[in-house]
Amino acid sequence: EDTQLTAEQQRIRAQDMMLGYEYNDIKSGIDSNVDDCTTSLVDDLKSQRSYLVAAEGRLQTTLLAVLLTNMALLVIASVANYLLVMRPMRSLAQNIQENEPLDVRGSVEIRRVAESYNLLYSENHRRTMLLKHQAETDPLTGLLNRGSFDRLLAHRGADIALLMIDVDQFKQ
């Protein structure tokens, strides 16, 4: 309809629309709607901000609880490591240096190692004593041999005497 008007008529119509009540009413309605929309958005943002602030507080509390729990578990693990591993290992090392059997204590693995070591220690001690006996005594008579007698003489001094008896046909 506007395209059929002359340029002057289109200009007059545009002025009427801009300055008329209809335009101002529509403009006022749009302004009111924009204000309502802006107020609604601000209220929604405030509500969401309040929710996020509360959620942030809960998250911080949860993180603090997790942190404290982890710290407590770390302390417990450190104490358990010291009691079940480090202290028994030091004791085992000291016993090994002193050539003594091991105390069977600590974690399951350490107890197994100590038990195995003690079996080896007992067998080694038994064999050492057997070899010492064989090295120091005569197998036929069971008496101390010459080397053992010399050591005993050097240790005790002049309080020892040696009696030598020659028995003919001793083996028979």
Side-chain angles (χ1 to χ4, degrees):
E1 183 179 311
D2 289 340
T3 57
Q4 294 176 0
L5 299 175
T6 64
E8 181 62 27
Q9 289 174 335
Q10 286 179 359
R11 187 182 60 75
I12 292 171
R13 181 171 172 132
Q15 278 180 347
D16 286 344
M17 285 177 60
M18 292 287 290
L19 300 174
Y21 293 109
E22 181 181 349
Y23 171 77
N24 286 329
D25 288 344
I26 292 173
K27 182 182 172 212
S28 294
I30 291 173
D31 287 345
S32 175
N33 288 340
V34 168
D35 288 343
D36 291 345
C37 184
T38 303
T39 303
S40 176
L41 285 173
V42 168
D43 290 344
D44 285 348
L45 288 175
K46 285 180 181 178
S47 172
Q48 288 178 0
R49 183 178 179 277
S50 297
Y51 173 77
L52 291 175
V53 167
E56 179 186 17
R58 289 190 304 271
L59 182 61
Q60 286 177 347
T61 303
T62 302
L63 288 175
L64 181 62
V66 168
L67 177 66
L68 292 176
T69 302
N70 285 343
M71 289 176 61
L73 289 174
L74 181 62
V75 167
I76 290 169
S78 297
V79 169
N81 181 49
Y82 176 75
L83 293 176
L84 295 176
V85 177
M86 298 305 295
R87 191 166 54 171
M89 289 295 280
R90 286 185 186 144
S91 175
L92 296 179
Q94 182 179 0
N95 286 8
I96 290 171
Q97 288 174 348
E98 295 171 358
N99 197 25
E100 296 177 359
L102 303 180
D103 295 332
V104 180
R105 64 187 175 118
S107 66
V108 174
E109 294 82 5
I110 292 176
R111 287 195 307 261
R112 286 184 184 159
V113 168
E115 290 167 354
S116 298
Y117 176 84
N118 287 343
L119 288 173
L120 292 173
Y121 176 85
S122 298
E123 182 63 21
N124 186 39
H125 183 70
R126 185 188 67 75
R127 287 183 181 184
T128 301
M129 297 310 290
L130 178 63
L131 287 173
K132 183 177 178 184
H133 176 72
Q134 289 174 347
E136 293 177 347
T137 60
D138 179 66
L140 183 60
T141 62
L143 298 174
L144 291 178
N145 62 19
R146 172 72 187 261
S148 298
F149 180 74
D150 288 345
R151 278 193 302 280
L152 189 61
L153 183 62
H155 179 63
R156 293 190 123 185
D159 295 344
I160 295 179
L162 175 64
L163 178 63
M164 294 181 74
I165 301 174
D166 184 18
V167 178
D168 291 336
Q169 298 177 3
F170 178 73
K171 289 184 181 179
Q172 292 177 1

